[in-house]
Amino acid sequence: MKVWAHRGCSLRYPENTLLAFEKAAAIKNLTGIELDIQLTRDGEIVVIHDERVDRTTEGQGYVRDYTLSQIRKLHIYADDHPVQQIPTIAEVFDLLAPRLKNQMGDAGPTLKLNIELKNSAWLYEGMEEKIVDLVQRRGLQDSVVFSSFYARSLKKMKELLPDMELGILDSRVSDCMYKSKGGCGALALHPFWKGIDLTAQELEGYTVRAWMSGHLYPERPTGTKLDFGSLEERGITDIILNEPEAYLE
């Protein structure tokens, strides 16, 4: 089973922060980190899951109504760790560059990023072009997987960068497969882990990256663990977890 960190190590540290990503990148044998991107009012790419800032900061309102300078003034508290901010995707690339590009050798990236385009509630005009341009300028094409619930967004990504790996999101794996066959260009299926409504035989040959919801910081770890064996028997190849360190350390 390949293990990904969902919004970084998002059970023990605030989700989608440089702190959560730094902790995840330090985990040996982690396949990758999943994160979410949106656009500010002035067109900057920031990393945050919710369309509103209310849940994770002391601010109120929609991400799209903030400029980058305004959103940078919001605080994300992290117990005894330094106060965090909503990061830009460029800052995440800077932080993870040594593992994304494997600067220690020529064997390819030792860590991958699953970048989810959060454009299901709001259609962020130009977000696809902006993130593709940045990935190309950074030379990170081999280190990134793009995903979205919105099939038309992935179709656009495929047109912009034909060789890029794409994953289609939905609650049920059957709906992921339906979308993938509709021309969006996604070869990987990204369902909710409880939404596996096809057999392992029907999923054979697919990359199935199942995502978790569950506990998020500041909730405390429960000490319970998933049975990877039973998930693999159902056709899941990858699992995106809030607490990857509990399985790999």
Side-chain angles (χ1 to χ4, degrees):
M1 180 70 71
K2 295 179 180 178
V3 176
W4 298 67
H6 187 222
R7 310 177 202 172
C9 290
S10 59
L11 177 52
R12 301 187 188 185
Y13 309 96
E15 67 187 70
N16 277 332
T17 61
L18 294 182
L19 174 63
F21 299 144
E22 179 183 19
K23 297 297 184 181
I27 300 174
K28 186 177 181 181
N29 295 324
L30 184 74
T31 297
I33 297 172
E34 185 269 352
L35 54 79
D36 312 271
I37 61 170
Q38 299 186 55
L39 292 185
T40 60
R41 193 173 77 204
D42 48 349
E44 297 295 330
I45 305 174
V46 290
V47 180
I48 181 171
H49 177 270
D50 296 6
E51 284 79 10
R52 295 182 64 93
V53 301
D54 305 48
R55 180 174 62 86
T56 54
T57 79
E58 83 279 26
Q60 292 182 326
Y62 291 100
V63 172
R64 66 176 186 159
D65 292 332
Y66 282 81
T67 64
L68 179 61
S69 62
Q70 290 171 336
I71 213 167
R72 299 284 289 173
K73 295 176 183 177
L74 301 178
H75 302 92
I76 302 174
Y77 298 101
D79 291 332
D80 56 346
H81 298 282
V83 172
Q84 302 292 299
Q85 296 173 308
I86 296 171
T88 65
I89 190 62
E91 289 175 319
V92 176
F93 287 163
D94 289 341
L95 173 70
L96 302 178
R99 289 199 63 188
L100 292 177
K101 299 191 74 172
N102 193 14
Q103 296 173 356
M104 304 303 292
D106 300 321
T110 60
L111 188 75
K112 300 191 79 172
L113 280 184
N114 175 6
I115 299 177
E116 180 183 341
L117 285 75
K118 293 292 291 185
N119 47 15
S120 298
W122 309 115
L123 298 182
Y124 288 107
E125 187 68 32
M127 182 161 67
E128 293 90 350
E129 289 87 351
K130 287 176 181 289
I131 189 62
V132 164
D133 178 65
L134 184 57
V135 165
Q136 287 184 307
R137 284 193 283 113
R138 297 281 186 128
L140 297 175
Q141 295 93 320
D142 294 335
S143 305
V144 171
V145 176
F146 287 113
S147 64
S148 178
F149 282 88
Y150 188 39
R152 291 186 70 181
S153 182
L154 291 187
K155 183 178 180 180
K156 189 182 217 181
M157 297 294 289
K158 188 71 173 179
E159 294 168 352
L160 292 168
L161 205 56
D163 295 331
M164 180 58 64
E165 184 179 0
L166 304 176
I168 186 68
L169 282 152
D170 214 304
S171 296
R172 293 184 175 88
V173 74
S174 61
D175 289 331
C176 292
M177 185 179 290
Y178 177 80
K179 289 179 179 179
S180 75
K181 292 181 177 180
C184 69
L187 298 180
L189 312 178
H190 290 201
F192 182 47
W193 76 286
K194 291 185 177 179
I196 307 301
D197 58 348
L198 297 175
T199 66
Q201 289 72 28
E202 290 173 301
L203 295 174
E204 189 172 354
Y206 284 93
T207 295
V208 180
R209 297 187 183 100
W211 45 275
M212 302 287 296
S213 51
H215 300 283
L216 289 165
Y217 179 91
E219 297 181 61
R220 298 295 90 188
T222 63
T224 57
K225 285 188 178 183
L226 293 168
D227 176 8
F228 282 176
S230 64
L231 298 181
E232 288 174 336
E233 289 175 358
R234 298 176 65 189
I236 294 174
T237 61
D238 301 51
I239 193 78
I240 305 173
L241 296 169
N242 299 348
E243 193 184 14
E245 62 272 37
Y247 295 84
L248 298 177
E249 289 186 345

